[in-house]
Amino acid sequence: MSDKPNVILIMADQWRGDCLSIAGHPVVHTPYLDQMAIEGVRFSNAYTATPSCIPARAGLYTGLTPRSHGRVGYQDGVPWNYPVTMASEFTRHGYQTQAIGKMHVYPERSQMGFQNVILHDGFLHYARSRHARYDLVDDYIPWLREQLGRDADYFDHGVNCNSYVARPWDKPEYLHPSNFIATQAIDFLRRRDTLKPFFLFLSFHRPHPPYDPPAWAFEMYRDREMPEVPVGDWMDAVSGFSQPHRPDGLYDEIDPHVLQRARAGYYGHITHIDHQINRFLEMLAEYGVADNTYICFTADHGEMLGDHNLFRKVYPYEGSANVPLLLKGPKDSGICSNSVQDRVIELRDIMPTLLECADLPVPAGVEGQSFFPLARGEASPWRSYL
């Protein structure tokens, strides 16, 4: 067994920063992430500088600002040529490195410094248009077909991957993409090299649409009384951009019943993922490595979910740009348990933080700043804005 700590980065796609029950959300229930926050630190002002999948992940993987990594919007098909990444540094220093789930890089099989990647990016139109066999760039598809014994697809229910349409998952729960991610992570714990420490990137595609959580999770919120979404009076100025009846539109004042179902689908995903994270963490303890492991939870960006009649992301508003961020570590790590830090954190800060957790050097050129000292309650010069 290695004396070095293991490091796990858990990321969800499109998870709003306010969607934790411990953060005071009036509807969402996340008991197991709440427990992680109690055992560690919650950063209430964590942001993504570029609230869109590709540029947000570029900042996360490289520790660079958008000015340096060069991605300031969503553009498919641009090669990811970054010689130094978070994973490459863990690999270079003897860690066993594994990514499971969404990467959203190009080419799709680029490993970004990981020794191994089990890939599920969700329904990517660009990848599907380029590959007659989508299972070449998605490991979930062949796994799903092994389970069902037919030409199955997670798009069988027909719900668009960017729409606010919501319905329950159409297959047994153990076949859901969120379960697949947790299942593969548990299997990694079984087959890992126990002589090495590991860095695991556990990357859930949901709560990104399609809003298709298991039926129990959808029904948990379907009839809940929900607070009114905020709508600024300035939205009248952009009413001409409304796209009525377009299910994947960016702006529209949709029917309240449809919005209720969308929120139920989104919140249902969140609670379902919360349970799957706990499923994985219980196995982490069962394998005897939980006490020597740092765990960080975050998201690439949020979701407007009807705020100001807006949907999806890319907007410089709280629903889109604010993300959850939790960090917990071993008992002797010095991390202040059950504490909240309100310093302004950005995704680029995660790379140097996790390297410092493992007592590894931060490469020259990394522009993020480690918030590990903040997690330990140490006085540290810090930025006040992004």
Side-chain angles (χ1 to χ4, degrees):
M1 299 290 289
S2 170
D3 293 331
K4 290 186 177 181
N6 307 300
V7 179
I8 300 173
L9 174 58
I10 304 174
M11 170 171 270
D13 193 331
Q14 212 150 310
W15 187 307
R16 291 172 59 114
D18 62 356
C19 281
L20 295 170
S21 41
I22 199 168
H25 195 281
V27 178
V28 169
H29 190 217
T30 52
Y32 302 112
L33 287 171
D34 292 353
Q35 181 178 351
M36 187 186 300
I38 291 170
E39 295 173 352
V41 182
R42 178 169 63 87
F43 294 87
S44 59
N45 284 319
Y47 288 88
T48 173
T50 45
S52 179
C53 298
I54 289 175
R57 289 169 185 270
L60 175 80
Y61 297 156
T62 65
L64 300 176
T65 63
R67 175 182 295 176
S68 297
H69 65 61
R71 297 174 188 268
V72 294
Y74 186 105
Q75 185 175 359
D76 286 309
V78 179
W80 288 63
N81 297 321
Y82 299 111
V84 177
T85 66
M86 176 163 46
S88 75
E89 292 306 294
F90 277 103
T91 301
R92 189 165 68 88
H93 289 283
Y95 273 67
Q96 183 176 359
T97 54
Q98 173 75 59
I100 300 173
K102 182 165 183 174
M103 293 289 288
H104 211 159
V105 299
Y106 179 82
E108 293 86 358
R109 288 290 181 183
S110 298
Q111 292 181 310
M112 296 301 293
F114 287 97
Q115 293 170 321
N116 185 259
V117 175
I118 298 174
L119 188 64
H120 175 58
D121 280 340
F123 191 108
L124 293 182
H125 292 89
Y126 182 78
R128 281 186 175 252
S129 69
R130 293 173 50 253
H131 297 278
R133 289 185 53 193
Y134 190 59
D135 57 354
L136 295 175
V137 292
D138 188 347
D139 296 315
Y140 170 65
I141 287 287
W143 179 85
L144 181 66
R145 291 171 179 171
E146 286 176 4
Q147 308 302 312
L148 295 179
R150 61 183 178 88
D151 193 25
D153 197 315
Y154 52 82
F155 189 54
D156 286 340
H157 54 40
V159 180
N160 186 283
C161 67
N162 280 314
S163 79
Y164 49 66
V165 176
R167 55 148 294 166
W169 177 242
D170 62 322
K171 298 175 177 63
E173 182 176 342
Y174 80 95
L175 299 176
H176 195 280
S178 296
N179 290 67
F180 168 76
I181 302 304
T183 297
Q184 295 300 315
I186 292 168
D187 193 56
F188 167 76
L189 295 178
R190 175 188 63 81
R191 59 182 171 76
R192 77 194 190 285
D193 183 349
T194 57
L195 297 179
K196 293 181 177 181
F198 65 83
F199 171 55
L200 174 63
F201 180 44
L202 188 54
S203 181
F204 291 90
H205 173 266
R206 307 301 199 268
H208 189 293
Y211 294 148
D212 59 352
W216 66 265
F218 180 74
E219 292 164 1
M220 179 175 175
Y221 296 105
R222 183 184 59 190
D223 299 321
R224 282 290 303 274
E225 182 177 347
M226 298 187 185
E228 293 291 326
V229 294
V231 179
D233 54 13
W234 46 268
M235 289 306 296
D236 293 341
V238 295
S239 59
F241 294 95
S242 178
Q243 300 172 300
H245 309 297
R246 183 182 174 100
D248 63 348
L250 296 170
Y251 172 75
D252 189 25
E253 188 174 355
I254 66 173
D255 182 274
H257 173 69
V258 176
L259 179 59
Q260 175 80 9
R261 288 182 63 87
R263 295 169 86 179
Y266 182 75
Y267 298 153
H269 271 321
I270 285 174
T271 295
H272 178 219
I273 293 171
D274 180 75
H275 290 193
Q276 289 301 305
I277 289 173
N278 184 58
R279 174 188 168 211
F280 167 73
L281 295 180
E282 290 287 350
M283 293 303 298
L284 190 72
E286 196 165 307
Y287 277 101
V289 292
D291 292 338
N292 190 36
T293 300
Y294 286 91
I295 304 172
C296 181
F297 170 77
T298 192
D300 54 354
H301 51 73
E303 156 69 56
M304 291 304 293
L305 202 65
D307 289 4
H308 310 297
N309 297 328
L310 299 170
F311 292 89
R312 297 163 66 178
K313 55 271 188 178
V314 310
Y315 305 100
Y317 300 121
E318 289 293 306
S320 178
N322 183 228
V323 295
L325 180 59
L326 309 175
L327 179 66
K328 63 168 289 189
K331 292 181 179 178
D332 61 355
S333 66
I335 290 178
C336 302
S337 61
N338 199 19
S339 61
V340 180
Q341 264 283 353
D342 62 0
R343 303 292 185 91
V344 178
I345 310 293
E346 207 271 314
L347 290 184
R348 68 178 182 264
D349 300 324
I350 291 177
M351 175 179 175
T353 300
L354 297 186
L355 289 174
E356 186 175 356
C357 287
D359 197 25
L360 300 180
V362 177
V366 168
E367 296 167 299
Q369 182 177 351
S370 172
F371 51 82
F372 192 43
L374 298 179
R376 291 181 293 187
E378 300 172 8
S380 177
W382 200 260
R383 68 176 77 94
S384 60
Y385 64 92
L386 290 175

